[in-house]
Amino acid sequence: MSPIFFIQYKMLNYFQEVLTQTSVIYLVLDPSGKVIFVSPALQQILGLNPAATIGKNWFEITRNNISDQLAVKKRISDFIQSDENTLPTYVTHLQDVNQNDVHILWNTIKASDGQLIGTGQDITQKVIQEKLITDVNNSLKEVNTYMKDSINYAARLQKAILKNPDVLREEFTDLSIFYRPKDVVSGDIYFYSTTKKYQYIAAIDCTGHGVPGAMLSLIANTLLRNIIKRKGVHSVSEILKKLDKEFINYLNENNSSYVIADGLDIALIQIDKAKNCYTFAGAFRPMIVLNNGVIEVVKASKYPIGFYEDVEKTFEEHKRPIVEGERIVLFSDGFPDQFGGERSKKINRIRFLEMLESIDSNSGIAYEQALRYLFEGWKGTNEQTDDVTVISFKI
């Protein structure tokens, strides 16, 4: 055996061994599309015997559908007749001998004699995984859209229970309501109701925010309105005491195995214009009164509504005369608890009071805009910490 022949023989054996080991299909077609050579990977990927394909049309071997066969034949013909030497990478969707779907990524070049040389990589698992990811993403998008629609609808329901500020402006002088949920729906609400003798206004801050807080706020609004309108309880201290018991019972009447530990804070005012006075009682939420530059914090009782069901709670009443020009502020803890400023700290109660003093000369919409400006200025780029409610009015 001559040295040259020996080298050629060794190289041929080497390439045959490489082709046997690889999982890529190596394919050579003549200009008419007939198979001149195909690597052993064809057996592994499509279950076809490579030797049995030699001399046969590739598009007939790999496709049963006539229209698919003609499409492939045209693609081969167009490529051969073109001036291009490389066919853009493409994926074919085939079926193996067991009718399983197979996806092959092809890279094809044209030799100087018109032969087509292609390499085909089985990407079936990748395609399956991508489809799975796409399906999961589509499902998540559907769920997300459904949840957004549901939450937006819940926000409309929650908004429906809030008294229109324009209506309240007819009842109060210099009314301003700064109401900003942290999320779409809120654990804060402001409350207004009337009887023949009294007006009631309140700021309510329920446990949490978002959907859980919003559900509690709807419960609180319903119970409070029912206590005042249907059960005829008028004293603010008795209203809060009744609300506390009914709130706890409402959450736990169907649960025997555990206690739901949720609640709310509330600042409630009863206005008696006939007697020219108003009465305040609070559960963890104070009332702020501003009059001619003097600011006063009327403290609330140190009991929330809900929680501590084994404790006998009392809610102290503060009866005061109506003073012309006196501003009353009811608020949730969202404003003073907001983080921001140069050191990313809370506004806190003292700074909040200073802010209220600084804008007291404003009225109506201007007051609300000033309050918003102070809040946004302090918040900066920080995330909103909690739901925010600030009600300011003069009787």
Side-chain angles (χ1 to χ4, degrees):
M1 181 182 294
S2 69
I4 294 176
F5 182 79
F6 176 75
I7 292 173
Q8 290 175 337
Y9 175 79
K10 293 291 288 183
M11 289 294 293
L12 179 61
N13 283 344
Y14 171 76
F15 283 119
Q16 285 179 337
E17 185 175 347
V18 169
L19 291 175
T20 301
Q21 297 297 323
T22 184
S23 59
V24 176
I25 297 174
Y26 290 90
L27 175 68
V28 181
L29 304 179
D30 70 12
S32 68
K34 290 181 180 179
V35 178
I36 297 175
F37 170 82
V38 64
S39 66
L42 184 68
Q43 181 84 49
Q44 174 188 340
I45 295 173
L46 294 178
L48 297 173
N49 183 352
T53 66
I54 303 302
K56 295 182 180 179
N57 284 314
W58 173 252
F59 52 85
E60 292 178 353
I61 297 169
T62 55
R63 292 164 177 83
N64 297 322
N65 186 286
I66 298 297
S67 63
D68 288 347
Q69 293 177 7
L70 293 176
V72 176
K73 184 177 181 179
K74 185 176 186 306
R75 179 186 296 172
I76 292 173
S77 176
D78 291 346
F79 179 47
I80 290 174
Q81 294 175 24
S82 73
D83 296 330
E84 301 295 330
N85 294 320
T86 304
L87 194 65
T89 300
Y90 62 96
V91 176
T92 58
H93 177 200
L94 305 176
Q95 287 189 324
D96 64 16
V97 293
N98 296 317
Q99 304 300 306
N100 296 314
D101 289 336
V102 179
H103 299 270
I104 301 177
L105 176 68
W106 289 99
N107 289 283
T108 306
I109 63 172
K110 182 169 55 180
S112 57
D113 59 0
Q115 291 183 351
L116 301 181
I117 303 171
T119 59
Q121 182 179 358
D122 184 1
I123 60 168
T124 304
Q125 290 304 314
K126 180 181 178 182
V127 170
I128 291 172
Q129 289 173 359
E130 288 177 348
K131 185 178 184 305
L132 179 61
I133 291 172
T134 299
D135 290 344
V136 170
N137 285 338
N138 288 337
S139 296
L140 289 174
K141 285 179 181 178
E142 289 180 9
V143 171
N144 190 45
T145 299
Y146 175 78
M147 290 180 65
K148 281 185 176 179
D149 290 344
S150 298
I151 292 173
N152 287 333
Y153 185 72
R156 290 196 294 273
L157 292 176
Q158 187 176 49
K159 188 176 180 179
I161 71 171
L162 300 175
K163 201 72 172 180
N164 189 322
D166 292 335
V167 175
L168 288 180
R169 287 188 180 95
E170 297 175 2
E171 302 294 332
F172 297 97
T173 304
D174 199 9
L175 175 82
S176 170
I177 298 177
F178 181 43
Y179 180 71
R180 177 171 293 184
K182 171 178 167 57
D183 303 307
V184 180
V185 290
S186 176
D188 281 8
I189 57 169
Y190 57 89
F191 174 88
Y192 179 77
S193 184
T194 61
T195 64
K196 290 182 178 180
K197 291 182 62 177
Y198 306 114
Q199 293 173 292
Y200 294 90
I201 188 166
I204 301 173
D205 183 357
C206 297
T207 305
H209 47 79
V211 174
M215 293 179 68
L216 291 177
S217 74
L218 293 174
I219 294 170
N221 177 80
T222 301
L223 293 177
L224 184 57
R225 194 170 299 277
N226 188 55
I227 290 168
I228 293 172
K229 301 285 282 188
R230 295 190 177 182
K231 298 188 177 180
V233 181
H234 300 308
S235 161
V236 284
S237 61
E238 289 302 314
I239 289 171
L240 295 187
K241 198 166 186 178
K242 187 77 172 172
L243 178 62
D244 178 58
K245 290 182 178 179
E246 291 196 9
F247 191 85
I248 292 172
N249 291 339
Y250 188 93
L251 292 183
N252 295 286
E253 63 181 348
N254 295 320
N255 298 306
S256 57
S257 57
Y258 61 94
V259 175
I260 297 177
D262 282 301
L264 59 94
D265 301 336
I266 178 173
L268 175 65
I269 290 175
Q270 176 213 72
I271 301 167
D272 186 346
K273 288 188 176 180
K275 294 184 178 180
N276 200 43
C277 66
Y278 65 97
T279 307
F280 164 77
F284 250 61
R285 302 282 354 121
M287 173 180 69
I288 296 173
V289 180
L290 296 99
N291 189 7
N292 293 323
V294 178
I295 189 165
E296 178 186 0
V297 179
V298 183
K299 294 183 179 180
S301 298
K302 295 187 178 299
Y303 296 109
I305 302 298
F307 306 107
Y308 317 124
E309 62 175 324
D310 55 340
V311 175
E312 185 64 29
K313 302 175 187 176
T314 57
F315 300 97
E316 184 181 358
E317 290 190 347
H318 301 268
K319 192 170 184 178
R320 302 170 64 98
I322 295 175
V323 177
E324 185 177 355
E326 185 178 73
R327 184 188 299 278
I328 298 169
V329 179
L330 306 178
F331 62 101
S332 67
D333 60 5
F335 199 114
D337 281 354
Q338 178 60 47
F339 284 92
E342 294 181 358
R343 300 182 180 179
S344 195
K345 291 186 175 181
K346 287 184 179 182
I347 290 175
N348 72 41
R349 182 72 63 84
I350 294 175
R351 194 176 285 112
F352 177 57
L353 293 176
E354 291 173 350
M355 288 179 174
L356 293 179
E357 283 185 286
S358 70
I359 63 173
D360 190 40
S361 60
N362 292 279
S363 60
I365 299 299
Y367 186 92
E368 184 179 327
Q369 290 172 342
L371 202 58
R372 181 180 290 106
Y373 175 80
L374 290 171
F375 181 80
E376 289 294 341
W378 184 267
K379 173 178 167 293
T381 59
N382 290 280
E383 181 183 355
Q384 185 171 328
T385 307
D386 197 359
D387 301 316
V388 174
T389 301
V390 181
I391 309 167
S392 168
F393 60 94
K394 296 176 182 178
I395 303 174

